[in-house]
């Protein structure tokens, strides 16, 4: 089935077509949001929310981009919304710790990506911690291109940015990561 047929079937509420879509995009969507959120449970929620929104709003899909790009945009937006809410909750917890006593303090925790080989887990955790500290747009561009392996055109479409802007974000992200990682390794000596 080609993309046009899939879109038509999705618009008609065809359950097997939606099941096929979820089966074929589930892992890519999950890993995209996982690399942004660095939390498996939050990534599962964001991936589910992504597919719910795809199902509910496929009728409004204007086909100005590919279906995959549209799905990734939704997934990235869901992940960024979760990050913003998490940061707000963390700031609120700092001011009113008694109000949310069970709120997890994740700022010092290292993220261990499930797809990283055991011998590289510590290095990857340090890298992901550094990526997490990048400004939002740099983090997103770096994650999509360097971690997810998207090409620049795909990342530009997902981010709604032109190629020069994304190249600039990647350059600044690399410089910032280099500084952060130099500081980390300097403290180990």
């Amino acid at each position: 089935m080609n993309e046009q047929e899939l879109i038509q079937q999705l618009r008609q509420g065809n359950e097997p077509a939606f099941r096929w879509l979820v089966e074929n995009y589930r892992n890519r969507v999950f890993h995209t949001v996982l690399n942004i959120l660095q939390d498996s449970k939050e990534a599962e929620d964001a991936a589910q929310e992504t597919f719910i929104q795809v199902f509910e709003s496929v009728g409004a899909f204007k086909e100005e981009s590919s279906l995959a790009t549209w799905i990734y945009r939704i997934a990235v937006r869901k992940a960024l919304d979760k990050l913003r809410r998490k940061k707000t909750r963390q700031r609120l917890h700092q001011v009113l710790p008694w109000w949310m006593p069970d709120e997890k303090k994740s700022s010092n925790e290292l993220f261990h990506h499930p797809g990283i080989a055991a011998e590289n887990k510590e290095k990857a955790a340090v890298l992901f911690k550094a990526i997490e500290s990048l400004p939002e747009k740099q983090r997103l561009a770096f994650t999509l291109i360097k971690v997810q392996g998207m090409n620049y055109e795909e990342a530009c479409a997902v981010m709604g940015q032109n190629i020069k802007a994304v190249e600039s974000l990647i350059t600044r992200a690399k410089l910032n990561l280099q500084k952060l990682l130099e500081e980390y390794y300097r403290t180990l000596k």
Side-chain angles (χ1 to χ4, degrees), residues 110-112 116-131 181 184-185 188:
L110 291 179
F111 169 65
H112 294 284
I116 306 292
E119 63 271 9
N120 294 325
K121 289 245 188 242
E122 187 177 334
K123 290 177 185 176
V126 170
L127 176 60
F128 276 109
K129 183 74 174 168
I131 292 170
L181 294 172
Y184 170 80
Y185 285 109
L188 290 179

Side-chain angles (χ1 to χ4, degrees), residues 34 65 70 76 81 91 103 130 155 164:
L34 177 64
S65 64
W70 182 65
V76 166
D81 287 346
R91 283 195 304 267
E103 190 72 17
K164 291 291 183 192

Side-chain angles (χ1 to χ4, degrees), residues 84-147:
R84 289 180 193 116
R85 282 193 300 269
K86 180 180 175 183
K87 286 181 181 178
T88 300
R89 290 181 66 83
Q90 286 174 342
R91 283 195 304 267
L92 191 56
H93 183 68
Q94 288 174 345
V95 176
L96 304 170
W98 52 268
W99 187 48
M100 298 181 295
D102 296 333
E103 190 72 17
K104 141 176 128 170
K105 294 180 184 178
S106 62
S107 59
N108 294 326
E109 293 179 17
L110 291 179
F111 169 65
H112 294 284
H113 193 290
I116 306 292
E119 63 271 9
N120 294 325
K121 289 245 188 242
E122 187 177 334
K123 290 177 185 176
V126 170
L127 176 60
F128 276 109
K129 183 74 174 168
I131 292 170
E132 185 179 24
S133 68
L134 292 173
E136 185 177 284
K137 286 185 178 183
Q138 288 179 29
R139 178 177 9 149
L140 182 55
F142 190 86
T143 299
L144 292 176
I145 293 170
K146 298 299 182 181
V147 179

Side-chain angles (χ1 to χ4, degrees), residues 35-117:
N35 287 326
I36 294 169
L37 293 169
Q38 299 183 12
D39 182 310
S40 295
K41 289 180 184 171
E42 289 289 318
E44 287 174 18
D45 288 347
Q48 287 178 357
E49 291 171 13
T50 298
F51 288 112
I52 289 169
Q53 184 170 346
V54 166
F55 181 77
E56 291 174 344
S57 60
V58 71
F61 176 49
K62 297 177 183 166
E63 300 181 49
E64 295 170 349
S65 64
S66 72
L67 182 62
T69 298
W70 182 65
I71 293 170
Y72 282 125
R73 270 193 210 132
I74 293 170
V76 166
R77 199 170 29 250
K78 295 291 181 187
L80 292 176
D81 287 346
K82 284 193 170 293
L83 275 180
R84 289 180 193 116
R85 282 193 300 269
K86 180 180 175 183
K87 286 181 181 178
T88 300
R89 290 181 66 83
Q90 286 174 342
R91 283 195 304 267
L92 191 56
H93 183 68
Q94 288 174 345
V95 176
L96 304 170
W98 52 268
W99 187 48
M100 298 181 295
D102 296 333
E103 190 72 17
K104 141 176 128 170
K105 294 180 184 178
S106 62
S107 59
N108 294 326
E109 293 179 17
L110 291 179
F111 169 65
H112 294 284
H113 193 290
I116 306 292

Side-chain angles (χ1 to χ4, degrees), residues 10 75 104 108 159 165 182:
L10 291 171
K104 141 176 128 170
N108 294 326
M159 294 180 66
E182 280 176 2

